Amino acid sequence: MSMRTRRERERAERERLIVTTARELAEAEGWGAVTTRRLAAEIEYSQPVLYSHFEGKDAIMAAVAVQGFAEMAAELRTARQGAKGARDSLAAVAQAYTAFGRRRPALYDGMFAHRVDLPFATSQAPSALGEAWGELRRAIEPIAVADDDPGLLTETFWACLHGLVTLMRSDRLPEAAHDRRLALLVGHFSTP
């Protein structure tokens, strides 16, 4: 292995360590606890080492968000592909999406609630964002009717799912009715 290859591998490992530690700290204590000073102490590197990888906390949060979108895309894909028929696929994706947001609150907030320097809905968006969006859209497309714009329908479906996650996590909607809410949502989206 060449010296350059080894350095590149070590650099990638440090970046993974920084992102993983930021994510773990955010899940344990919230994003307010994630500072470059705290991360440097946690991973036992100096702050200049962190800054040699990321411009600051916002860039670290963006890296965590991209990682989250890749994980979400995989979970949505598994749910969609494991379902039989358009309505079941939509229901499975809705369930997987809301479960993801409820199970990983800090990660979800890093993806959707905090401002991160990521281009959304453009060709410059990281591929993981497009993959997660694509899974939502693939669940919606089979239920779209002739006059529907699949993109707008997907945005509306996503907004409903995001609202459910946000309102349940803030105790504004009771957990007990979650499955009934999803059934209503899927029923209205999949009824021609």
Side-chain angles (χ1 to χ4, degrees), residues 123-151:
S123 60
Q124 290 79 35
S127 63
L129 276 74
E131 290 169 20
W133 177 257
E135 289 305 321
L136 286 172
R137 187 172 173 131
R138 281 187 275 290
I140 285 289
E141 285 174 339
I143 60 101
V145 293
D147 293 342
D148 286 341
D149 176 334

Side-chain angles (χ1 to χ4, degrees), residues 3 18 23 36 53 87-88 102 169-171 187:
M3 185 69 106
I18 293 165
R23 184 173 166 172
T36 54
H53 291 275
R87 186 181 175 122
D88 287 346
R102 294 161 62 210
R169 283 187 37 218
S170 63
D171 295 324

Side-chain angles (χ1 to χ4, degrees), residues 5-143:
T5 304
R6 191 180 98 227
R7 276 193 220 123
E8 289 171 357
R9 189 186 76 231
E10 289 170 351
R11 180 173 178 77
E13 287 172 9
R14 276 193 307 272
E15 284 185 11
R16 274 192 297 278
L17 178 61
I18 293 165
V19 170
T20 299
T21 303
R23 184 173 166 172
E24 289 170 355
L25 191 55
E27 289 293 352
E29 300 178 34
W31 281 106
V34 180
T35 63
T36 54
R37 182 180 307 255
R38 177 86 183 268
L39 282 172
E42 292 284 331
I43 64 173
E44 299 178 346
Y45 283 107
S46 67
Q47 281 183 285
V49 170
L50 255 68
Y51 286 112
S52 73
H53 291 275
F54 298 98
E55 291 181 14
K57 178 180 173 177
D58 292 345
I60 294 168
M61 285 180 70
V64 170
V66 169
Q67 192 179 73
F69 282 111
E71 291 172 19
M72 177 181 272
E75 290 184 27
L76 297 178
R77 184 177 309 107
T78 298
R80 183 181 56 77
Q81 291 176 342
K84 302 275 191 251
R87 186 181 175 122
D88 287 346
S89 176
L90 192 63
V93 165
Q95 184 64 42
Y97 182 97
T98 57
F100 182 94
R102 294 161 62 210
R103 188 174 65 252
R104 297 182 175 128
L107 178 59
Y108 188 85
D109 287 348
M111 294 162 64
F112 295 113
H114 295 287
R115 285 189 76 75
V116 291
D117 189 21
L118 291 173
F120 284 81
T122 71
S123 60
Q124 290 79 35
S127 63
L129 276 74
E131 290 169 20
W133 177 257
E135 289 305 321
L136 286 172
R137 187 172 173 131
R138 281 187 275 290
I140 285 289
E141 285 174 339
I143 60 101

Side-chain angles (χ1 to χ4, degrees), residues 165-185:
V165 169
T166 302
L167 292 169
M168 279 189 300
R169 283 187 37 218
S170 63
D171 295 324
R172 284 162 175 84
L173 287 177
E175 288 280 332
H178 176 64
D179 290 336
R180 287 182 28 229
R181 279 188 213 97
L182 283 184
L184 285 169
L185 179 64

